[in-house]
């Protein structure tokens, strides 16, 4: 069984600074433990849902925007037992490692030095993580080095579409995945550049010959939050026939051969 736990479902500057929805990214428990997009709150939320960050094996960071990478250094410290033992893999966009015209690198040399391996992959690159294989996918975002992935597992592929504008080939990269996790930042008729809206995801799903078994919408922006993401999810489901869930803090997806089940965890009491 593969278990995916969301430590937040917010995205965009206003949701991030208000924490109307938390912004911790998500955790994948497969043959290894992989953390995806550790935004603000990733460390605290991991403990809140009893996901020991010291047990991580890999961290994936799609791009250098603060709602995706804020906690990456502290998560590396956890993964490496307080930066005391060399352990784990970091897979990140160029901007995360080198910075760009407007951002410094997100990971210091101190933290880079305690990692076992660092990948700065291009779309199409394949990276083995335990029994799974991660195929890097492209994005068209204001950080032009943004990457997503398709994780091949024994129970089917899990695709992650981070911040991106919609473009035709995006569909080809993710067609046939069993589970699709997508950053759907904006509701119907309210699209903005470089991000997906409800309309974009509907368009993509309609054109897919082999549709996913389930879609999870995350990275919910302020307009989406107040438009009611559950209504948007219902609409997506009605017009595409794809079972659609809205991520939230503590939302867990259990993926088995026979079925995909979901539940919402209660936070632990000590934090
Ligand atoms: Zn972004």
């Amino acid at each position: 069984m593969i278990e995916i736990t969301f430590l937040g479902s917010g995205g965009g500057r206003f949701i991030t600074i208000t924490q109307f929805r938390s912004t911790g990214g998500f955790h994948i428990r497969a043959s290894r433990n992989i953390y995806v997009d550790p935004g603000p709150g990733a460390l605290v939320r991991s403990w809140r849902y009893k996901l020991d960050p010291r047990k991580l094996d890999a961290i994936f960071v799609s791009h250098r925007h603060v709602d995706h990478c804020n906690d990456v250094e502290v998560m590396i410290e956890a993964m490496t037992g307080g930066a005391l033992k060399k352990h784990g893999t970091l897979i990140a966009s160029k901007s995360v490692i080198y910075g760009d015209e407007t951002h410094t690198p997100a990971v210091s040399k101190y933290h880079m030095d305690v990692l076992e391996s660092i990948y700065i992959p291009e779309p199409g690159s394949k990276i083995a993580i335990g029994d799974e294989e991660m195929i890097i996918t492209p994005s068209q975002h204001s950080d032009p080095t943004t990457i997503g992935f398709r994780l091949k597992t024994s129970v089917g592929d899990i695709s992650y579409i981070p911040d991106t504008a919609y473009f035709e080939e995006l569909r080809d990269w993710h067609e046939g995945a069993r589970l699709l996790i997508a950053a759907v930042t904006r509701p119907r008729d309210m699209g903005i550049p470089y991000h997906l809206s409800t309309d974009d995801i509907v368009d993509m799903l309609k054109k897919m010959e082999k549709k996913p078994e389930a879609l999870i919408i995350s990275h919910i922006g302020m307009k989406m939050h107040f438009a009611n993401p559950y209504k948007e999810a219902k609409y997506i489901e009605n017009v595409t026939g794809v079972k659609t869930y809205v991520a939230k803090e503590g939302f867990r997806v259990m993926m088995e051969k026979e079925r995909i089940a979901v539940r919402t965890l209660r936070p632990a009491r000590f934090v």
Side-chain angles (χ1 to χ4, degrees):
M1 182 174 66
I2 310 275
E3 226 174 55
I4 300 159
T5 310
F6 287 83
L7 291 314
S9 60
R13 65 191 67 198
F14 301 115
I15 286 283
T16 303
I17 59 173
T18 56
Q19 290 291 293
F20 282 4
R21 305 182 82 92
S22 42
T23 47
F26 58 98
H27 178 283
I28 303 175
R29 194 201 309 269
S31 68
R32 300 287 187 274
N33 291 312
I34 308 168
Y35 204 100
V36 180
D37 277 350
L43 179 73
V44 172
R45 263 69 185 209
S46 290
W47 283 111
R48 186 177 280 179
Y49 294 95
K50 301 195 177 107
L51 294 166
D52 188 340
R54 294 172 298 186
K55 293 182 178 156
L56 286 173
D57 302 294
I59 299 172
F60 175 92
V61 188
S62 64
H63 66 294
R64 175 64 180 89
H65 290 162
V66 77
D67 46 346
H68 297 256
C69 72
N70 187 73
D71 278 12
V72 61
E73 285 183 336
V74 77
M75 292 304 268
I76 292 172
E77 288 209 17
M79 179 163 75
T80 56
L84 293 173
K85 62 172 197 282
K86 224 174 162 69
H87 178 69
T89 298
L90 175 67
I91 303 159
S93 68
K94 268 193 201 87
S95 52
V96 167
I97 306 296
Y98 300 119
D100 57 24
E101 310 85 63
T102 47
H103 292 84
T104 56
V107 185
S108 70
K109 186 177 179 307
Y110 173 81
H111 293 95
M112 301 262 247
D113 285 348
V114 287
L115 290 162
E116 249 166 1
S117 47
I118 300 166
Y119 293 90
I120 313 159
E122 297 287 338
S125 302
K126 293 176 179 168
I127 300 158
I129 307 172
D131 299 338
E132 286 74 42
E133 183 183 54
M134 184 180 269
I135 301 169
I136 301 301
T137 60
S139 265
Q140 289 181 2
H141 190 43
S142 43
D143 174 346
T145 68
T146 303
I147 47 174
F149 64 76
R150 180 165 176 152
L151 189 70
K152 299 196 99 51
T153 82
S154 60
V155 292
D157 293 5
I158 300 163
S159 261
Y160 174 47
I161 302 181
D163 291 359
T164 183
Y166 182 57
F167 56 105
E168 286 294 312
E169 305 92 79
L170 189 65
R171 188 181 70 239
D172 302 333
W173 285 92
H174 297 285
E175 171 120 32
R178 189 172 172 211
L179 181 71
L180 178 58
I181 301 166
V184 184
T185 308
R186 285 290 188 125
R188 273 168 278 176
D189 304 323
M190 293 186 98
I192 41 164
Y194 300 123
H195 292 85
L196 293 178
S197 68
T198 299
D199 302 314
D200 295 322
I201 206 81
V202 163
D203 197 36
M204 185 172 85
L205 291 173
K206 275 185 170 171
K207 287 180 183 155
M208 274 185 177
E209 273 168 45
K210 197 163 184 286
K211 295 181 178 33
E213 198 173 312
L215 164 71
I216 299 162
I217 59 175
S218 193
H219 200 275
I220 289 158
M222 197 60 108
K223 286 261 177 355
M224 182 63 137
H225 180 68
F226 283 110
N228 187 351
Y230 294 93
K231 238 167 70 186
E232 296 297 294
K234 199 81 221 147
Y235 168 76
I236 296 169
E237 199 171 302
N238 286 343
V239 296
T240 66
V242 176
K243 181 79 197 150
T244 303
Y245 298 101
V246 181
K248 64 182 275 194
E249 187 185 310
F251 182 73
R252 175 170 285 176
V253 184
M254 291 143 291
M255 195 163 141
E256 293 169 302
K257 265 212 167 64
E258 307 74 40
R259 63 186 191 129
I260 293 175
V262 302
R263 61 186 284 227
T264 302
L265 308 176
R266 281 174 184 224
R269 246 182 290 160
F270 59 87
V271 271

